[in-house]
Amino acid sequence: MRKSSIKIASILLLVVFLAAFKLAEEDFTKLISGKLEKFRQMYPVEKAYLHLDKPYYMTGDTLWYKAYLVEGSLHFADSASNLLYVDLIEQRTGKNWTLRHTHMDAGVGNGEIVLADSIPPGAYLIRAYTNWMRNSSEDFFFQKDIFIFDKTGNASAPGTGKVDLQFFPEGGELIAGTSTRIAFKAVNTNGLGQDIRGFVLDQNKDTVASFKSEHLGMGRIPFSPKSGATYSAFLRDQNGTITSYPFPEVKENGYTLLVDNLSNPLKTRIIAYANIPGKSELPVHVVGHSRGIVAFVARGKIGAKGLMMLVPNTDLPDGITHLTLFNSENKPVSERLIFIDHAHKLRIGITPSRNTFRPREKSEIEITVSDTSGKPLEANLSVAVTDAGQIQQQTNDQHILSYLLLSSDIKGFIEQPSYYFDETKAERKIHRDILLMTQGWTRFRWDEVLKDSLQPAERFLEQGITFSGEVTRNNKKPVEKTPLSVYLSNDSLNSFLTAETDELGRFTLYNLIFEDSLRIRVQGMNKKNNQNLTIKVLPFAPPKVSQAKTPYFPLTIDGQLLSEFLKRNAQDQEIARKIRESRERLLQEVTIKAKKEVQRDSRKIYGTPDASIKMTPQLVGGRTSVLDILAGRVAGVQVVGSGMNASVYIRGNRNEPQFVLDGMPVDKDFISSMNVNDVESIDVLKGASAAIFGMGGGNGVISILTKRGNDNYDYSQEIVPGVLASKIAGFHIPKAFYSPAYPANAAQNVAPDYRSTIFWAPMLKTDKNGKVRLQYYNSDAATTVDIRVEALSATGLPGFGKSTYSVN
């Protein structure tokens, strides 16, 4: 991970209630800065984000995604992990239907998920995470709700029941005699914000406050709790029914923190109050940090009327700043989140060559990317082009800007997150501030940060595929460490290596780089009792997801649009099915006469061997070593000794021959330790026949071919003691998005074309002038076309842009 720091902000302090106020002592500043920096270095944060081609799908459809992976503090597009897991979870059952190993290069990657007809329709969760991210709460995985329909458009019915209402005192607690503000949030059974009206009664049933939600079930009220008082909240629904809810408890003693960074865009006002018996003046510190990097540290005293300071926002970075009040014992006693918005982001321009195109006509689009000042930038971007007559873009849906600066740093679901970044919405900043009062910060916990010693992270950074297994002897864990030999192969890779189990019999191979799948063969290398070993794979276990209490319908879709989408999508799938059937049409019986071609064994780089032994049960019976089988069976091959101590010589040579296993050179000890039941044949090459192996074949070659090394071998046929043969999944190979071409002078294809995703380009880059161009052909639909672009610069600036044009 790159190491960076944000300059400690200069602090402008304004004393209102105290005559004395000074900057923090140097030792406390060093303490907090050092603790946060050490914590950040020990547990660096990664953030993942997925850009999807559309918000909903149909069974049989393909979900396309672009993956972004960044360093968590400054959002540099250069995370240490090269493997990103992408999976698809059914919300109703929590079942994991698909897992993709996405290869990340310089923080970007892409892939797709084919939604098979066997996938049940309903609400799903698509997640993205690295192995390193699993050291933290799963709440900080990338998670997005999508919906998969079947051909009938079936969907879950909206839930019904009691609204969930919670209250959140600013700073954390209600302190008797201290005026404060209380934020609230009401959520319905579908998990979405619910507009409400209500009131608060004290223990005498007197009304002390009334409240009404301002945005998506959220709002806040001024409140002055009294000593010894208890309060209850009540909601009144449209039918006049009144429902009671608990209200926060009033604490007699404690601290609270009030913050205002909305009245003055250049400064943040921080007010601290305290009620501690016997204390008239309380020395405190206020610490501000953004994503684990210290922004400022200041010291003052809370008097009878409180303490106020003004902090300039100039040097605070865009995004969430975490404010913490520390008491005289350097313990955190009150917290508050604020959002700093300097509007530092990528500006994305999307310019179609025309405003209107014809069906099946080529569209040409130019995309420009610049920073806030208008300077062109090189950036990595992804583009989704969809038919607005089928796909209804969701209101204020998540995009890379809202995710990196907001959603990724606070716990819990955020409804309509991009609303808080829409510069056309005048009240977005107020509503964003209320949001931060209702959703807590959990990525940095002070009790963990302030520990004297930090434990190493349990999970590691992955730069390739990890393969783990376990070895037991006679159904028990082996007491001593066990040496292993491992043979890896696929169409482009052949590799032999050795490994060793730990005291618990477990072994792991790290950072394997391969695509699609890999054949792996593991066997013990003990000099005796090798056949008593049992080797098994420890499969990757995706993190479990908590089953939704009530599956909800997470989308807003016009009924006519949904009907059009389902009809067109089913039509496209039927056309594709007929095309496949026509390609597979049966011919009448035809007799073809030719010599049978014997398929060449890819494990043999040589021609016909000088001698070959085919394994049979009678030949293997009673033998414990491959070398024992060779003894006396091949002219010119001499075996001296037996078992693990045997030596082999080919006539005319003083040294032992080169041993080869399934085409890979290995040492004799490995061959001697092999289970004879796993051998298919033994080839012997002498003199000129062995010359193909170069200097290594100067003393002849003995080539052992295994049953499991044969591509046609049925792995379910038998279990060989002491040997594990399996396949493991590698990096997903992304498919190319199919976009048909319709030349103007060519005859029109009779098959109708009503793609819902008209074009998908996940791996585009702008040039040094900040520009990139793309071309594609429109479908048959007379419609409005949506273009959505998401982008990230190498320095961590995110951006989002959208545009439309017409087809008629």
Side-chain angles (χ1 to χ4, degrees), residues 246-264:
F247 201 74
E249 177 186 0
V250 179
K251 301 291 182 67
E252 293 297 323
N253 305 310
Y255 296 79
T256 191
L257 197 64
L258 280 70
V259 181
D260 175 19
N261 72 325
L262 302 178
S263 301
N264 186 336

Side-chain angles (χ1 to χ4, degrees), residues 715-746:
Y715 287 88
S716 65
Q717 286 182 352
E718 57 181 307
I719 298 176
V720 178
V723 176
L724 167 69
S726 182
K727 280 190 175 183
I728 56 176
F731 286 116
H732 174 64
I733 303 175
K735 295 180 180 178
F737 180 83
Y738 172 68
S739 180
Y742 299 122
N745 57 353

Side-chain angles (χ1 to χ4, degrees), residues 384-404:
V385 182
T386 56
D387 178 358
Q390 299 184 58
I391 301 300
Q392 182 172 342
Q393 299 296 339
Q394 298 304 287
T395 302
N396 300 313
D397 203 4
Q398 186 85 268
H399 52 55
I400 191 170
L401 179 67
S402 64
Y403 185 76
L404 292 183

Side-chain angles (χ1 to χ4, degrees), residues 681-752:
S681 63
I682 304 172
D683 290 343
V684 177
L685 288 79
K686 310 173 186 177
S689 300
I692 193 171
F693 289 90
M695 293 293 293
N699 296 306
V701 173
I702 295 178
S703 173
I704 294 91
L705 304 176
T706 65
K707 297 175 182 177
R708 285 167 169 75
N710 190 330
D711 289 337
N712 298 319
Y713 180 75
D714 183 358
Y715 287 88
S716 65
Q717 286 182 352
E718 57 181 307
I719 298 176
V720 178
V723 176
L724 167 69
S726 182
K727 280 190 175 183
I728 56 176
F731 286 116
H732 174 64
I733 303 175
K735 295 180 180 178
F737 180 83
Y738 172 68
S739 180
Y742 299 122
N745 57 353
Q748 290 292 308
N749 193 328
V750 295

Side-chain angles (χ1 to χ4, degrees), residues 467-469 486-490 507 512 514 517-523 535-539 678 706-711 713-716 718 723-729:
F467 172 72
S468 297
V486 183
Y487 177 62
L488 309 171
S489 65
N490 62 12
F507 65 93
L512 301 175
F514 64 96
S517 64
L518 184 70
R519 294 186 295 274
I520 187 163
R521 183 182 186 278
V522 183
Q523 74 174 56
I535 307 175
K536 64 179 181 180
V537 176
L538 295 177
D678 195 34
T706 65
K707 297 175 182 177
R708 285 167 169 75
N710 190 330
D711 289 337
Y713 180 75
D714 183 358
Y715 287 88
S716 65
E718 57 181 307
V723 176
L724 167 69
S726 182
K727 280 190 175 183
I728 56 176

